[in-house]
Amino acid sequence: MVTLETLASETLASETLPFETQPGAAVELSALDMVLWGVLPYVMVVVLVGGLAWRYKYDQFGWTTRSSQLYESKLLRIASPLFHFGLLAVIAGHFFGLVIPKSWTEAVGMSQDFYHFNALFVGGIAGVGTLGGIILLIYRRRTTGPVFMATTRNDKAMYVVLTAAIVFGLWTTLASVFEGEHGHNYRETVAPWFRSLFIFQPDIAAMAAAPFSFHLHTLVGMALFIIWPFTRLVHAFTAPFHYLFRPYIVYRSRDRITASGRPGGRTGRKSNANAAQNPNAPAGRRGWSAVGTQDRDTRNR
């Protein structure tokens, strides 16, 4: 006998999308899904690692950002920190959202609503800051003559892919804001697929169940990592973190009289004047004043 409660439960179950309870459970996979979400990620890793190894072996002198600070520095002082710090926040947000499972955040008492609010708030600020920084960098490169002349086709292609990745990522964030409670929860589709790649069992069905905006953002992101070793972005893998731990450098500066003299210095009254103005200068180095701590200056006396 079919009761009213049985009919109601069957109706509710039929209206529930399969991936809301089990991501990708009833998604029909195509050959394109198998290639994009099961093969392409590993191709990307091979190209990324192999490209870095090739670049390091055969193009160490080209492993550089080709800095253009000498040509223009006013805009660069604003655009570069805005872009780089925003990008660091974006990377941290991706790590937190894709690597840390939903069950872990719930175990420490973080509700889904609180997580969603923080992800949208912090992610939105980071995305807008990163996008503003890259726009300023592109504007500077286009409007500053020497900087534009130093821009290669490789740089232009890199800027297109990088900007596209930022724009599509910000699009998915803003879409979640406007969709509200009906927005897609990427922690049930994209995140499980991402983690499954590390155990070589890609959950293709889960990724296939995600909306098109997440597909597009993921594909552009993988394209960015594929071209990464062959662009100026390669400098990110050789960030000078050792600068934080190295001893500081002691610099020395000339006084006014010596700086205005002829090259090589002059003897006579000018040297005597230098010695009178700088009685603590080391012997044989008159006209120079030490800049640094006292313990390091005494080693040269």
Side-chain angles (χ1 to χ4, degrees):
M1 180 177 181
V2 180
T3 62
L4 182 62
E5 290 80 1
T6 304
L7 291 175
S9 61
E10 291 178 354
T11 303
L12 182 60
S14 64
E15 294 178 353
T16 303
L17 294 177
F19 64 82
E20 290 181 346
T21 55
Q22 186 177 356
V27 177
E28 184 177 355
L29 300 179
S30 63
L32 183 61
D33 291 326
M34 301 292 291
V35 172
L36 293 181
W37 319 125
V39 178
L40 186 59
Y42 297 106
V43 173
M44 175 203 69
V45 173
V46 171
V47 175
L48 177 64
V49 176
L52 290 174
W54 175 87
R55 186 80 180 269
Y56 183 80
K57 183 175 181 179
Y58 296 103
D59 190 28
Q60 291 190 26
F61 289 102
W63 194 299
T64 175
T65 60
R66 296 195 301 273
S67 176
S68 58
Q69 185 176 2
L70 293 176
Y71 302 136
E72 197 280 334
S73 59
K74 292 183 179 180
L75 275 177
L76 189 63
R77 292 175 182 174
I78 301 174
S80 182
L82 185 63
F83 170 74
H84 285 90
F85 285 113
L87 187 60
L88 289 176
V90 169
I91 294 174
H94 279 69
F95 178 84
F96 192 80
L98 297 178
V99 177
I100 300 179
K102 180 181 176 181
S103 58
W104 290 17
T105 56
E106 292 178 347
V108 297
M110 181 181 294
S111 65
Q112 179 64 18
D113 293 336
F114 181 76
Y115 171 86
H116 187 66
F117 172 78
N118 280 277
L120 295 179
F121 180 74
V122 178
I125 295 177
V128 171
T130 308
L131 182 60
I134 194 66
I135 290 176
L136 287 177
L137 288 174
I138 295 175
Y139 173 80
R140 168 184 175 271
R141 186 164 292 276
R142 185 64 183 84
T143 57
T144 306
V147 180
F148 181 72
M149 293 179 63
T151 304
T152 64
R153 294 180 180 179
N154 184 296
D155 295 331
K156 295 177 182 178
M158 180 272 296
Y159 275 115
V160 170
V161 179
L162 179 59
T163 305
I166 298 172
V167 170
F168 292 141
L170 192 59
W171 174 25
T172 58
T173 302
L174 296 179
S176 300
V177 174
F178 291 108
E179 292 175 358
E181 297 179 354
H182 303 285
H184 179 74
N185 187 2
Y186 66 90
R187 302 183 78 189
E188 296 178 352
T189 55
V190 182
W193 166 78
F194 180 79
R195 293 192 295 269
S196 68
L197 295 175
F198 293 92
I199 59 176
F200 300 100
Q201 296 179 357
D203 191 352
I204 302 175
M207 186 61 188
F212 174 74
S213 59
F214 287 91
H215 289 173
L216 189 59
H217 177 50
T218 304
L219 289 175
V220 175
M222 286 194 288
L224 179 63
F225 280 103
I226 288 176
I227 68 171
W228 195 295
F230 314 104
T231 65
R232 67 171 61 203
L233 294 175
V234 72
H235 75 276
F237 291 96
T238 53
F241 293 112
H242 62 280
Y243 283 8
L244 301 175
F245 309 101
R246 71 175 186 179
Y248 61 87
I249 301 175
V250 178
Y251 293 92
R252 297 182 178 276
S253 60
R254 289 177 178 268
D255 56 35
R256 292 183 179 180
I257 296 179
T258 304
S260 61
R262 297 179 180 178
R266 298 181 62 183
T267 58
R269 293 181 300 174
K270 189 167 293 186
S271 298
N272 294 333
N274 292 343
Q277 291 188 3
N278 189 14
N280 295 326
R285 293 188 179 184
R286 303 201 174 198
W288 295 83
S289 59
V291 178
T293 56
Q294 184 177 1
D295 58 336
R296 295 200 175 193
D297 295 339
T298 53
R299 289 185 294 181
N300 297 324
R301 294 179 182 174

